[in-house]
Every structure is written in C-alpha cells, then in structure tokens.
Amino acid sequence: MLTVLEGQVAALFMEGIFYGVYLTTFIISLRWFLYEDYKWKPFRKINWPMLMVTLCMLVVSSLDLALAGRRSFVGILHAELDVPLPDLLWSSIVQVSSVDSPSLTVGTNRNNDG
C-alpha cells in the first residue's frame, strides 16, 4: 500500500513523462502554426487566437508540473525531517486555481434577457 507521499511522487513521475510527450507535440504544432506546408517560409497571416490559446495551455501545464514538483519536494523534506506539514500549502491553492480557472469561466458569458 502506497502512502500519500509515495502516490504523489508516482503521479509526478507519470505527469513528467506525459509532459514530455506534450512538449514534443507542442513544438510540432508551433511549426505548423508559424510556417507554410513543407516549406520553412513563415506564414503571412498567423492565426493569433489559436496561437495564444496554445501558449496559454503550455504555461498552465508547466505551472501545474512545477507546483506539483514543489509540493512533492516539500512533502519529502518534511518527511525526512520528521516535521508535520502545514494543513494548507499555497502551492496547492495556486495549482488548483490555475487548472480550474478556464472551466469556471465557461458559463459566465450567458445573456439572461428574462
């Protein structure tokens, strides 16, 4: 049976592997956003909204991985020093709010004309 800390480290390891796959596909998608088909000439008209969404997804994914790593590192450090963890880590709050913020804003643009 895994402890909570061991589960977090295992999840962080798997997240790191999947982030590597995501980073590879991100680089390939940038090539198709910025350059013409089968030529390395830049597009004259770049789809800026799609590019900005792609970059925002990269930032949120990177932030999530970095904060999960920090949380696991703090957990390991506190376990080695035999010091109890605080009840609420600021990195956990930021991690949840950064990942859930796009889903919270989906329903806010409704027009209620009664």
Side-chain angles (χ1 to χ4, degrees), residues 22-96:
Y22 171 71
L23 201 58
T24 304
T25 58
F26 171 77
I27 292 170
I28 292 169
S29 70
L30 275 183
R31 185 259 183 261
W32 290 105
F33 277 134
L34 300 175
Y35 296 100
E36 290 184 17
D37 295 342
Y38 305 111
K39 300 173 190 167
W40 284 94
K41 293 191 311 187
F43 270 132
R44 290 187 182 159
K45 185 175 182 201
I46 296 174
N47 188 355
W48 287 107
M50 186 69 90
L51 184 62
M52 289 300 118
V53 168
T54 305
L55 291 174
C56 287
M57 287 174 56
L58 175 73
V59 168
V60 169
S61 299
S62 301
L63 181 66
D64 179 59
L65 183 64
L67 291 175
R70 183 196 180 279
R71 188 178 61 226
S72 293
F73 178 73
V74 167
I76 291 169
L77 187 64
H78 280 276
E80 290 293 321
L81 296 177
D82 204 21
V83 177
L85 276 170
D87 289 335
L88 199 55
L89 293 173
W90 66 267
S91 61
S92 298
I93 296 170
V94 172
Q95 187 176 14
V96 169

